[in-house]
Amino acid sequence: MAHGPAKGLTRWLYTTNHKDIGSMYLWFSFAMFLLGGVFALVIRAELFEPGLQIVEPEFFNQMTTMHGLVMVFGAVMPAFVGLANWMIPMMVGAPDMALPRMNNWSFWILPFAFSMLASTLFMEGGAPNFGWTFYAPLSTTYAPPSVTFFIFAVHIMGASSIMGSINIIATILNMRAPGMTLMKMPLFVWTWLITAYLLIAVMPVLAGVVTMMLMDIHFGTSFFDAAGGGDPVLFQHVFWFFGHPEVYIMILPAFGVVSQIIPTFARKPLFGYASMVYATSSIAFLSFIVWAHHMFTVGIPVAGELFFMYATMLIAVPTGVKVFNWVTTMFKGSMTFETPMLFSIAFVILFSIGGFSGLMLAIAPADFQYHDTYFVVAHFHYVLVPGAIFSIIAATYYWLPKWCGRMYNETMGKVHFWLAFIGLNITFFPMHFVGLAGMPRRIPDYNIQFADFNMIASVGAFLFGAAQILFLWNVIATIRSGKPATAEVWENPEGLEWTVDSPAPYHTFSVPPEVK
Amino acid sequence: MLKRAQRLFAWLLGPAVLMMSHQSLADEVEHWGVNMTQGVTQMSQEIYGLHMNIFWWCVGIGVVVFGIMFYTMIVHRKANGAKASNFHESTKLEIIWTVAPFLILIIMAVPATKTLVKIYDTSEADLDILITGYQWKWKYDYIAEDVAFFSSLSTPADQIYNRAPKGPNYLLEVDEPLVIPTKKKVRFLITANDVIHAWWVPDFAVKKDAIPGFVNESWTYVEEPGIYRGQCAELCGKDHGFMPIVVKAVPEAEYLEWISAKQADAVALKALTEKTFTFDELYTKGEEVYAKNCAACHMANGEGVPGVFPGLKGSAVALGPINTHNDVVVNGVPGTAMQAFGGQLSEVDVAAVVTYERNAWGNNMGDHVQPIDVLKLKQGK
């Protein structure tokens, strides 16, 4: 089976190889990360000082909207699908994904979706300007004409995610090597299995809600138009029924990544493997019954308010279990602090801080003060940036030597880590303060009492952005001229992926390995 | 900006100095605004209490968990010659750290539930005020008193575009504040006319979404007279950041005086509808009305925002039949952002603004409308 990749552009266009597709997902995700980052920097530049300096409010709203959409659907989700593509077949001892042609299709529709979304910036009336949560009727009756392109872009992204998920589930359930029972699977595989089910459950809900918008805009229905007997609050219920599980879709695979990395560098097996699996499943279940905590101020009756408050607080329990397990895994280990470990430790600490502010937000009466302020912005950036993004970066450093057969530059990796770590804390920590002091989110200009912290946050944002250039540099330099890596790469890491050569051959596990 | 940068620098070096006196630390916290406001009502203070309570629980848990983490990171490192143990399971530990957080959650949920139930008790109010969110201003309707008015941003564009120094209440000031009596339970009935807004005054800890087709309820009871400021808290389009809320709480006697004055104003305004105005009077008045109500979308130069808000300069409506123009202003254009201004502006204001739009920016139609014509249109004649 000495059969390598095809040559030239068609290799990438026609490929059904999980490694090629994984790489394309990851590069695509990084491109979107930079694009979304540029949008974020426009926002931070405008907010550097009070007053309107750089952009008009109309364009500012387009930036907040596009930043959110591109980061959530373009950067974080495809990155995790890319990691799944690369790692799941190698982790379960399968030769490839179960449905390789669909795999090609689910990647290749993404560039079209995002080209369509990005093209709205150049349309008359501008890009979507109603926030990434696109609440009706601002996103229907009052939307710019480009909203239709936004709707179709979301449809395509959803189709891509659903196909990706089906593929992942089919691979995990059918293609494990003999002897690899479910409870022997690496935790990254477990978290992705659960995530894939979440995706299949909620992406159709998202497709439903944007289709209802399409109907309202073009075909005279009134799902969300009060004047026609519709209900603007219905939009929020449907959106958040998708939106809350979506949050966990972006964080569960991250849990999986750090659960792979911490044991390797603590040189000690993961503590509480079974409880990790149960905790992940509980979080996934709870994610379906907490959606209205995003809507504490819409005027739901007190009984509903209490239910959603209690259910939301309950999420702290399984999440806490995970954090305690990671800490105990480190305890009495023999730790070293290579770049992937640094990012993973920062993940545990900063994600916990995001979890704390999440717990505060769960208290419904207190949420009346927090809701729609910068405190919320601080909260979800703390769970998404050092949460999702840091875990993706950690995974890249951890598995890059396996992917390309070369070792990255450790010093540069550590510099990248510290710049990113400092930059993100300077950016997002002050947002807690301005939020508590009363600054609403999504405003292009603010009272002078918020000026100092906004200036600090803007400086941090540019530092964080600059640090990512170093990351790109390091990755490219590794691929081109890094030192050769061994098959194991790290010291006795656990998992089937370390039993194959570095770089991993184009086809791995054509003969299934034996798992004891 | 340079001054602010200097202050930032001083702040970064300053913590050591600050720690010396507790008082100056408290002052500094106040100055920098790092915490939630305690507010001026019993409810806002209870919410502040809940906030601090859960905050300290989080700090406590954080200190323990991060403490263990840092201890292990310092002690159990390979560079120090640490040998890895191999333990990886303990049902006892798992049960402990499942049950303990659960108990802490119950301790937090009990007071939160009590406060929430109180917040939801909107019964037995002394006064009802209907609040309606519009793009981008608030309408306050004293239902029983037959008094209603709009409240919109009064910060001049020169401050926003950095041509004039910014005042202390920059973006938190309005032309006409909401006035409420102290020591009375005031109930707010909150709704919206176009998109979703949210009415938020941090000092009262009242934040409620204003949703078209729904009427939400909230309430407050303010002890001390004062001026309290807030902002719209739900993204509502272009000028979401420019629709503040200002509430003036005054003793009851002063409130009653104010209400009577407002009622007298309304009668006087009604009388003006019968009056015939000259073209110049209408044009001058129209320019003011336009700046306050129309310029946000159609822009001060009448050119609108291409693709989003149509321009009026040389537009078919402004250069077309005068009755159609009147009709668009009074009844709006359904299914678009063009609101029906018939209920928002007086007959005099509508007449003035239509006159202005037909003659400004080189439209030069030369015609004008009298308030009585607008009244006839509103009455369907």
Side-chain angles (χ1 to χ4, degrees):
Chain A
M1 281 271 285
H3 153 72
K7 297 271 176 271
L9 190 65
T10 51
R11 164 180 175 183
W12 303 103
L13 271 176
Y14 301 155
T15 186
T16 54
N17 180 287
H18 73 104
K19 299 183 181 79
D20 282 354
I21 293 173
S23 300
M24 289 197 293
Y25 263 113
L26 288 167
W27 280 112
F28 175 78
S29 150
F30 191 78
M32 290 298 114
F33 180 54
L34 292 186
L35 180 67
V38 168
F39 296 153
L41 293 182
V42 172
I43 296 170
R44 284 317 322 169
E46 177 55 52
L47 293 174
F48 183 70
E49 276 192 291
L52 294 177
Q53 289 89 11
I54 298 168
V55 295
E56 287 295 310
E58 177 65 27
F59 189 69
F60 182 90
N61 288 344
Q62 298 173 27
M63 287 293 104
T64 54
T65 308
M66 294 292 273
H67 166 67
L69 292 169
V70 167
M71 286 301 194
V72 168
F73 295 103
V76 175
M77 292 171 68
F80 281 128
V81 181
L83 290 174
N85 256 293
W86 251 106
M87 301 318 302
I88 287 177
M90 292 203 323
M91 285 176 150
V92 301
D96 205 310
M97 296 292 279
L99 307 158
R101 283 166 202 263
M102 192 166 83
N103 205 9
N104 172 293
W105 182 235
S106 53
F107 170 76
W108 272 113
I109 57 178
L110 272 186
F112 293 92
F114 283 89
S115 307
M116 184 152 39
L117 185 63
S119 72
T120 58
L121 279 165
F122 306 100
M123 291 179 186
E124 186 164 297
N129 56 8
F130 30 67
W132 87 273
T133 52
F134 52 99
Y135 280 9
L138 188 63
S139 63
T140 52
T141 316
Y142 296 84
S146 62
V147 64
T148 308
F149 292 90
F150 154 81
I151 289 171
F152 283 117
V154 169
H155 272 140
I156 298 173
M157 294 167 205
S160 163
S161 290
I162 291 171
M163 288 192 285
S165 308
I166 291 172
N167 214 342
I168 287 166
I169 293 174
T171 307
I172 297 174
L173 294 185
N174 296 308
M175 298 183 63
R176 276 170 288 129
M180 178 159 292
T181 59
L182 285 176
M183 289 309 270
K184 275 188 190 163
M185 295 195 308
L187 215 69
F188 179 72
V189 180
W190 253 116
T191 53
W192 241 118
L193 179 64
I194 293 165
T195 303
Y197 276 108
L198 285 182
L199 274 167
I200 290 182
V202 301
M203 289 317 268
V205 178
L206 176 68
V209 79
V210 294
T211 307
M212 283 148 99
M213 284 169 60
L214 188 75
M215 292 291 175
D216 271 12
I217 294 166
H218 293 292
F219 304 108
T221 57
S222 300
F223 289 109
F224 307 130
D225 179 9
D231 180 350
V233 178
L234 172 69
F235 174 90
Q236 296 183 27
H237 281 294
V238 182
F239 177 81
W240 285 114
F241 189 84
F242 147 78
H244 201 79
E246 168 69 17
V247 174
Y248 294 100
I249 286 164
M250 291 190 282
I251 205 67
L252 295 185
F255 291 167
V257 167
V258 296
S259 302
Q260 300 300 132
I261 294 176
I262 290 179
T264 299
F265 296 98
R267 292 170 181 75
K268 206 171 143 254
L270 182 71
F271 187 83
Y273 172 89
S275 80
M276 285 297 222
V277 173
Y278 302 141
T280 310
S281 315
S282 318
I283 292 173
F285 168 73
L286 287 171
S287 77
F288 285 106
I289 56 164
V290 297
W291 76 87
H293 70 214
H294 298 270
M295 305 162 55
F296 277 150
T297 63
V298 301
I300 2 179
V302 68
E305 201 100 336
L306 287 172
F307 170 79
F308 285 107
M309 175 169 90
Y310 299 149
T312 305
M313 292 170 78
L314 220 47
I315 296 182
V317 175
T319 314
V321 167
K322 301 198 80 97
V323 172
F324 300 142
N325 279 331
W326 288 320
V327 175
T328 315
T329 303
M330 289 160 62
F331 196 76
K332 293 207 169 161
S334 171
M335 269 187 281
T336 51
F337 300 89
E338 286 86 345
T339 311
M341 182 64 161
L342 289 176
F343 275 102
S344 299
I345 290 171
F347 170 94
V348 176
I349 295 174
L350 300 179
F351 175 79
S352 298
I353 292 176
F356 288 144
S357 56
L359 189 53
M360 295 170 78
L361 284 157
I363 308 290
D367 183 69
F368 294 155
Q369 292 285 45
Y370 307 136
H371 185 82
D372 262 329
T373 68
Y374 259 88
F375 189 77
V376 177
V377 178
H379 159 71
F380 68 72
H381 281 96
Y382 259 87
V383 288
L384 283 176
V385 180
I389 303 281
F390 266 26
S391 81
I392 293 164
I393 295 173
T396 306
Y397 282 114
Y398 184 58
W399 283 308
L400 185 62
K402 177 58 59 189
W403 298 338
C404 69
R406 293 170 189 277
M407 202 63 197
Y408 64 88
N409 181 323
E410 191 64 60
T411 313
M412 215 194 289
K414 283 183 173 154
V415 172
H416 170 219
F417 167 75
W418 285 109
L419 289 180
F421 179 82
I422 293 167
L424 100 86
N425 282 295
I426 295 178
T427 310
F428 299 114
F429 211 82
M431 291 185 184
H432 290 113
F433 300 144
V434 286
L436 290 173
M439 180 168 164
R441 64 192 282 209
R442 294 168 166 167
I443 58 174
D445 193 6
Y446 48 83
N447 183 266
I448 42 180
Q449 61 172 312
F450 309 123
D452 298 318
F453 285 129
N454 271 290
M455 190 178 270
I456 295 173
S458 292
V459 171
F462 279 86
L463 177 62
F464 183 82
Q468 309 318 318
I469 304 300
L470 201 61
F471 178 44
L472 178 64
W473 177 270
N474 201 354
V475 169
I476 292 175
T478 307
I479 294 171
R480 293 169 65 105
S481 58
K483 292 200 185 84
T486 61
E488 281 211 317
V489 184
W490 313 106
E491 203 180 319
N492 290 318
E494 201 165 334
L496 289 175
E497 75 264 37
W498 309 110
T499 62
V500 300
D501 288 342
S502 299
Y506 199 57
H507 295 288
T508 37
F509 298 124
S510 303
V511 177
E514 199 62 49
V515 180
K516 278 171 254 130
Chain B
M1 179 185 150
L2 189 65
K3 219 168 175 182
R4 187 171 300 124
Q6 278 172 352
R7 223 164 78 222
L8 285 182
F9 192 63
W11 184 70
L12 290 174
L13 292 178
V17 185
L18 281 177
M19 288 302 171
M20 295 194 298
S21 111
H22 182 72
Q23 186 53 41
S24 68
L25 183 68
D27 286 350
E28 210 58 17
V29 166
E30 180 75 17
H31 163 73
W32 280 82
V34 296
N35 203 355
M36 182 189 282
T37 175
Q38 298 197 29
V40 295
T41 65
Q42 197 204 331
M43 281 302 110
S44 70
Q45 274 146 19
E46 271 189 35
I47 285 176
Y48 175 80
L50 287 173
H51 158 70
M52 290 315 287
N53 182 22
I54 188 154
F55 171 72
W56 285 118
W57 274 110
C58 289
V59 170
I61 298 167
V63 166
V64 173
V65 174
F66 300 151
I68 295 173
M69 244 180 120
F70 278 101
Y71 167 81
T72 192
M73 280 194 284
I74 291 163
V75 177
H76 304 136
R77 44 169 70 208
K78 197 183 175 196
N80 292 351
K83 292 267 175 292
S85 313
N86 196 35
F87 65 88
H88 56 84
E89 232 168 15
S90 162
T91 312
K92 205 199 281 169
L93 266 180
E94 300 286 352
I95 290 173
I96 290 173
W97 63 44
T98 305
V99 173
F102 191 74
L103 295 178
I104 296 175
L105 290 179
I106 292 174
I107 296 172
M108 293 193 282
V110 172
T113 305
K114 283 185 188 153
T115 304
L116 192 67
V117 169
K118 278 192 239 172
I119 292 172
Y120 265 74
D121 179 14
T122 52
S123 62
E124 290 172 33
D126 300 309
L127 172 68
D128 281 328
I129 300 173
L130 176 67
I131 300 174
T132 311
Y134 285 74
Q135 280 183 325
W136 293 280
K137 60 201 165 206
W138 297 97
K139 184 185 184 190
Y140 299 119
D141 214 322
Y142 295 71
I143 298 170
E145 322 294 341
D146 210 18
V147 165
F149 59 89
F150 281 86
S151 175
S152 46
L153 180 74
S154 63
T155 302
D158 278 352
Q159 289 190 20
I160 295 171
Y161 286 96
N162 312 303
R163 293 186 293 257
K166 296 174 177 39
N169 295 320
Y170 177 68
L171 299 185
L172 297 178
E173 51 201 349
V174 296
D175 51 357
E176 230 185 324
L178 174 69
V179 178
I180 59 167
T182 53
K183 300 193 197 306
K184 291 277 173 196
K185 184 166 180 176
V186 181
R187 175 164 48 195
F188 304 116
L189 305 168
I190 302 170
T191 185
N193 179 63
D194 34 49
V195 299
I196 301 175
H197 305 266
W199 198 80
W200 179 32
V201 178
D203 281 318
F204 305 162
V206 169
K207 184 187 284 147
K208 207 78 177 178
D209 289 359
I211 304 169
F214 284 76
V215 179
N216 273 327
E217 291 183 19
S218 193
W219 64 276
T220 193
Y221 183 98
V222 183
E223 295 277 352
E224 290 301 314
I227 293 179
Y228 306 107
R229 296 171 199 275
Q231 283 180 269
C232 176
E234 181 64 65
L235 178 63
C236 56
K238 181 169 82 71
D239 283 350
H240 163 55
F242 304 88
M243 52 180 292
I245 294 148
V246 180
V247 182
K248 203 170 146 192
V250 296
E252 198 188 3
E254 199 180 319
Y255 166 75
L256 291 173
E257 221 170 88
W258 174 82
I259 276 282
S260 324
K262 288 300 278 185
Q263 285 165 334
D265 283 354
V267 173
L269 188 65
K270 212 150 221 155
L272 280 181
T273 310
E274 306 289 332
K275 192 185 153 194
T276 305
F277 289 83
T278 68
F279 177 87
D280 288 340
E281 281 171 338
L282 288 168
Y283 187 88
T284 314
K285 171 98 183 141
E287 193 165 4
E288 277 169 37
V289 177
Y290 183 86
K292 196 178 145 184
N293 296 286
C294 317
C297 299
H298 297 297
M299 311 311 283
N301 59 11
E303 289 173 4
V305 178
V308 189
F309 304 117
L312 300 178
K313 185 178 175 178
S315 80
V317 171
L319 303 180
I322 198 159
N323 286 338
T324 314
H325 193 164
N326 264 333
D327 183 57
V328 169
V329 175
V330 170
N331 296 318
V333 182
T336 73
M338 181 61 195
Q339 304 168 6
F341 281 90
Q344 302 185 35
L345 301 176
S346 69
E347 286 74 17
V348 179
D349 285 353
V350 172
V353 83
V354 170
T355 304
Y356 175 75
E357 287 168 0
R358 299 180 73 78
N359 294 287
W361 324 294
N363 280 354
N364 295 334
M365 292 297 286
D367 52 2
H368 68 278
V369 197
Q370 288 296 338
I372 193 75
D373 302 326
V374 178
L375 184 66
K376 282 180 189 158
L377 176 77
K378 279 191 189 175
Q379 291 166 342
K381 287 177 199 164

